[in-house]
Amino acid sequence: MCMKSRWVLAAVLTAGILVCTGCGNSSSVPSNTSLMWVATQGDQLVRTFTISQENGSVSPVGDSKGSPVATGVQPTQMIVTPDGKTMFIVNSGANGTAGSVTAYTFNGNGSLAAAGSGVGAGETPIALAIDPAGKFLFVANQGTSGDVTSGTISVFSVSGTTLTEVAGSPFLTETAGDVSGTGPSAVTASPAGNFLYVANQFANTVQSFSFDDSGALTLLNTYTAGANPSGFAFSRCAGISSSNPTDLCPAADGNHLFVANAGSNNISIFAACIQVSATCSAPDGSLRQIPSGSPVAAGVGPATILVDPVADFVYAVDRGSSQVSQYSYSPATGVLSSLATASGGASVFSGGITGNGANTTNVFNWVVLTNNGNSSLSIFRVDATGKLVGLTSGPFSVQGQPSAILLR
């Protein structure tokens, strides 16, 4: 059997826009500063940095090396619980080493403290999601091409840093028609309702599931995506509504789900029926590809989708061409309109975006790419038009081949 590349997946960064309320005393983190955690596959560590929202400068936290803490083998994605108190990292394993999920708490300065030795999941775990209530952690196990029982979703109940696998887990993603395996490569929980979405890179599909109070998954439907779907993100106001016109999300948008198709070099856009709206009278988790504008072209091998948390801009990290495709987003239609591309470093692997810059005077949001090939970070300021402006100082060096990244 042929093992397809586990590195088609990058860090899904809906977690990257969470406000990390449990990251210690706010006084220990300078104002106009974001925290940034970078996991490195070469030395299997995760380091903590700050990034200035004013000028994009990066500084290690705790010591000159960023207070490194051990991960498992080949860390691929990080996520923070909704209460901001715990981080989980999924490690895909390699060369006979089983994959794992490791847990961490936060010190007062935002650096990490390991909590236990981690728990095992299924075969080649590479992606994480957590429900909005923080009750369940979902792990996509890529498995092996040709093995129709290896592509699964492990589900764990969450209690602090403790993970307990629920009854029936891991849950199969293969159906009766699959002959070569599905290859789950990305997973995301809906911001409203008990729905889970899985991208299957071997089968070129997106699946919708529901989950009950025990965490058990029920397959709802399977949808055709582009080739090798490998990354997810919901639109920034999906699942949110407000009557306050000054809020960032005064009304729910179209609840759009963006899917990065690494094999066909494009992004599929679906409207998700996750809350009552003009087109969704009874939320059932179903997906409907928007009638025009989907898919939209990206660069080579888009893997990660980044959504600006304060403005209608979307970014695709194109791993194959080591660049970022930039788009403006229409909440009413779901359409992504291309802005330009920005170049990263050697062998861009993933990316993240800060979550509390407001594009006001001297305070900005920043996009950061992990450059696996030359062990560095490329840093871009998000300007008022949504375009990315790189630092004239060039990439920031990070030891150990950075892979996963998370910012807040």
Side-chain angles (χ1 to χ4, degrees):
M1 293 182 291
C2 175
M3 178 66 182
K4 293 193 177 181
S5 170
R6 69 190 56 186
W7 295 108
V8 172
L9 175 84
V12 169
L13 290 301
T14 51
I17 63 175
L18 291 175
V19 175
C20 192
T21 56
C23 297
N25 299 322
S26 59
S27 60
S28 65
V29 179
S31 60
N32 292 345
T33 298
S34 292
L35 283 165
M36 177 171 66
W37 299 273
V38 180
T40 48
Q41 68 180 53
D43 52 13
Q44 299 162 27
L45 296 171
V46 56
R47 297 170 172 86
T48 305
F49 303 89
T50 59
I51 178 170
S52 168
Q53 292 175 326
E54 296 179 353
N55 59 27
S57 61
V58 174
S59 301
V61 170
D63 60 31
S64 62
K65 298 181 179 179
S67 305
V69 181
T71 66
V73 176
Q74 292 191 339
T76 64
Q77 188 184 341
M78 297 178 273
I79 199 167
V80 174
T81 54
D83 63 9
K85 295 180 178 180
T86 307
M87 177 186 287
F88 295 105
I89 299 179
V90 64
N91 312 282
S92 65
N95 301 321
T97 302
S100 65
V101 179
T102 44
Y104 306 83
T105 56
F106 296 96
N107 297 314
N109 59 4
S111 63
L112 300 177
S117 58
V119 299
E123 183 177 341
T124 318
I126 60 173
L128 294 172
I130 195 163
D131 70 300
K135 187 176 180 180
F136 300 112
L137 183 75
F138 306 95
V139 182
N141 303 306
Q142 178 181 267
T144 307
S145 178
D147 183 347
V148 296
T149 64
S150 62
T152 62
I153 304 297
S154 295
V155 184
F156 298 90
S157 63
V158 179
S159 177
T161 60
T162 300
L163 297 177
T164 304
E165 196 159 13
V166 307
S169 175
F171 297 90
L172 288 174
T173 58
E174 285 86 2
T175 61
D178 294 318
V179 295
S180 61
T182 52
S185 56
V187 61
T188 188
S190 62
N194 292 344
F195 304 113
L196 187 76
Y197 300 93
V198 178
N200 297 307
Q201 64 170 340
F202 300 164
N204 302 328
T205 59
V206 172
Q207 291 177 311
S208 59
F209 294 82
S210 63
F211 57 93
D212 60 20
D213 289 342
S214 72
L217 298 180
T218 299
L219 177 63
L220 299 176
N221 213 332
T222 300
Y223 304 87
T224 300
N228 303 123
S230 56
F232 272 142
F234 271 98
S235 50
R236 72 180 183 94
C237 291
I240 301 172
S241 61
S242 172
S243 59
N244 186 347
T246 64
D247 285 352
L248 291 175
C249 297
D253 71 2
N255 297 318
H256 293 111
L257 179 65
F258 308 114
V259 184
N261 301 308
S264 51
N265 304 326
N266 56 23
I267 300 169
S268 297
I269 308 166
F270 294 90
C273 184
I274 59 174
Q275 64 180 161
V276 174
S277 68
T279 57
C280 176
S281 58
D284 57 8
S286 60
L287 298 178
R288 175 182 56 85
Q289 193 156 189
I290 65 172
S292 62
S294 177
V296 62
V300 180
T304 302
I305 302 289
L306 306 177
V307 175
D308 191 308
V310 298
D312 290 323
F313 305 120
V314 174
Y315 306 93
V317 179
D318 303 316
R319 188 175 299 170
S321 50
S322 290
Q323 65 184 32
V324 182
S325 297
Q326 309 170 65
Y327 307 90
S328 61
Y329 164 65
S330 169
T333 65
V335 170
L336 296 177
S337 300
S338 180
L339 296 175
T341 59
S343 296
S347 302
V348 170
F349 182 78
S350 64
I353 187 169
T354 57
N356 48 351
N359 285 341
T360 56
T361 303
N362 296 327
V363 179
F364 302 92
N365 267 335
W366 296 83
V367 166
V368 183
L369 306 181
T370 60
N371 303 313
N372 194 265
N374 59 5
S375 216
S376 68
L377 305 176
S378 292
I379 302 169
F380 302 87
R381 172 173 57 84
V382 180
D383 74 10
T385 69
K387 293 182 179 180
L388 302 182
V389 180
L391 294 180
T392 57
S393 58
F396 177 83
S397 295
V398 174
Q399 181 180 343
Q401 297 177 277
S403 50
I405 185 170
L406 192 152
L407 301 96
R408 72 96 183 151

